[in-house]
Amino acid sequence: MIALSTDNVDEAKKKIDHFITTTITMYQFQGNEEQVKEAFAHYPIEPQIGDFYFYKEKNGGFDYFIALFKQDENKLYTFEWHQ
């Protein structure tokens, strides 16, 4: 994992926002995206300077894994996507 700084915090935000947006879009096809939107709104995940971040992709970016350790919350968030 790498420490987030002013140089890379935007990259982490972009990757996590992409995961959230893609997840909501997938649930739109099933007609229940509102529940997913509410879950992400209820538990906002905002990378900040000083947090720790990991990103690994395979298959041209179609499969990826993200980990975000939030220092202030003492929590590890993981995001996994496979197509």
Side-chain angles (χ1 to χ4, degrees):
M1 295 187 96
I2 58 170
L4 291 178
S5 66
T6 55
D7 295 332
N8 58 8
V9 72
D10 288 338
E11 175 188 337
K13 287 178 183 180
K14 179 180 172 185
K15 298 284 188 188
I16 291 171
D17 286 345
H18 175 73
F19 175 86
I20 292 170
T21 301
T22 305
T23 300
I24 291 170
T25 299
M26 293 303 295
Y27 277 92
Q28 283 177 338
F29 295 121
Q30 298 174 7
N32 56 354
E33 78 270 12
E34 289 306 315
Q35 292 173 326
V36 177
K37 286 180 182 179
E38 287 177 25
F40 283 121
H42 188 64
Y43 298 101
I45 302 162
E46 184 70 27
Q48 297 175 345
I49 295 170
D51 292 340
F52 290 88
Y53 169 77
F54 176 82
Y55 177 82
K56 178 84 173 185
E57 70 177 41
K58 290 185 178 183
N59 193 21
F62 289 110
D63 302 321
Y64 60 88
F65 176 80
I66 303 168
L68 177 69
F69 178 72
K70 298 284 296 160
Q71 291 258 60
D72 60 340
E73 299 175 18
N74 198 30
K75 288 184 181 178
L76 177 67
Y77 293 93
T78 59
F79 311 86
E80 190 172 355
W81 190 268
H82 297 283
Q83 279 188 316

